[in-house]
Amino acid sequence: TESGDTDLHSFFLDTYPTRVFDIIQLWFNQLSDELKLDFQTELNSILETESIRWVFSNGEFFQLDSQFFESHVHGKLSELFETSGFIGAQEEFVEARNDLAEQDNKDAILKACKSFESTMKSLLGVKSGTAGDLAKKIRKNGFLDDLPSGLQEVFVSKILQCLPIIRNELGGHGQGKESIVVDRDLAELSINLAAVFN
């Protein structure tokens, strides 16, 4: 009813933001399955437009920050490493994170890239290969088949190569005459790229 809509509007304006989230979560659970995805997409679009650093997924709100990324992506990666038996890739990824914590940014980038290459080697069942060759084999063996065919080559040549390029440009093949200083942000980006790629 119109008065009910007015009461609900007043409630949303006057209550704490966390209560609004609670109401949305309760209401979401009452939706039919076919409406849930549309609602979630529309709500996330509104949150992004309004620069609200929260995301709504499967009936839950999550704050978008580095802790969210680390707890979800890095946590899922740890589970995948363990269930897949990719011990070498897991060790290198953990070492990269440890290097970042110790402010050894160059080694963090090197080990993040090693972890990515070890993951590709493990998937392919090979012991050697450059990052570029491994990425091409990943495509050839069907690991990218869920991407549109026109995007697969771009994905292999551009996206999957960004981490090896960062590594190479910052001393992966020797830094030359001058010592290269690497910012923490670039090391953190490299570790997060490795996490997503892995």
Side-chain angles (χ1 to χ4, degrees), residues 4-128:
D5 290 343
T6 303
D7 292 343
L8 188 58
H9 184 260
S10 297
F11 171 79
F12 280 128
L13 290 177
D14 296 336
T15 195
Y16 291 107
T18 55
R19 288 193 178 165
V20 173
F21 282 9
D22 290 340
I23 295 296
I24 290 171
Q25 287 175 296
L26 289 169
W27 184 72
F28 178 81
N29 290 328
Q30 304 303 312
L31 292 175
S32 65
D33 287 341
E34 54 269 6
L35 292 176
K36 284 182 178 179
L37 182 59
D38 289 340
F39 174 77
Q40 180 174 295
T41 302
E42 184 66 23
L43 177 59
N44 284 326
S45 176
I46 292 167
L47 293 171
E48 183 178 354
T49 300
E50 297 298 324
S51 299
I52 298 171
R53 296 186 53 81
W54 288 81
V55 66
F56 187 71
S57 177
N58 295 323
E60 298 288 332
F61 281 96
F62 299 98
Q63 192 165 18
L64 290 176
D65 58 14
S66 60
Q67 287 180 338
F68 170 83
F69 183 86
E70 186 166 327
S71 66
H72 289 278
V73 176
H74 291 211
K76 185 170 178 91
L77 176 60
S78 180
E79 289 174 26
L80 288 171
F81 276 149
E82 289 173 16
T83 58
S84 303
F86 295 178
I87 305 303
Q90 183 177 29
E91 285 176 358
E92 290 159 344
F93 188 77
V94 169
E95 288 171 6
R97 290 181 65 184
N98 290 342
D99 285 341
L100 181 68
E102 293 169 12
Q103 299 180 356
D104 190 348
N105 298 333
K106 285 182 197 171
D107 275 352
I109 292 171
L110 289 171
K111 289 172 184 162
C113 194
K114 281 183 178 181
S115 174
F116 172 47
E117 289 177 355
S118 291
T119 298
M120 289 193 289
K121 287 176 184 177
S122 298
L123 284 171
L124 296 166
V126 300
K127 294 187 185 258
S128 63

Side-chain angles (χ1 to χ4, degrees), residues 126-166:
V126 300
K127 294 187 185 258
S128 63
T130 66
D133 290 340
L134 293 168
K136 287 175 189 171
K137 288 179 183 175
I138 287 287
R139 179 185 180 199
K140 184 179 177 186
N141 286 337
F143 288 102
L144 303 180
D145 285 352
D146 55 340
L147 294 174
S149 59
L151 183 58
Q152 290 179 21
E153 178 55 36
V154 173
F155 201 82
V156 167
S157 65
K158 306 284 187 210
I159 297 171
L160 293 181
Q161 293 310 301
C162 66
L163 180 55
I165 288 170
I166 291 170

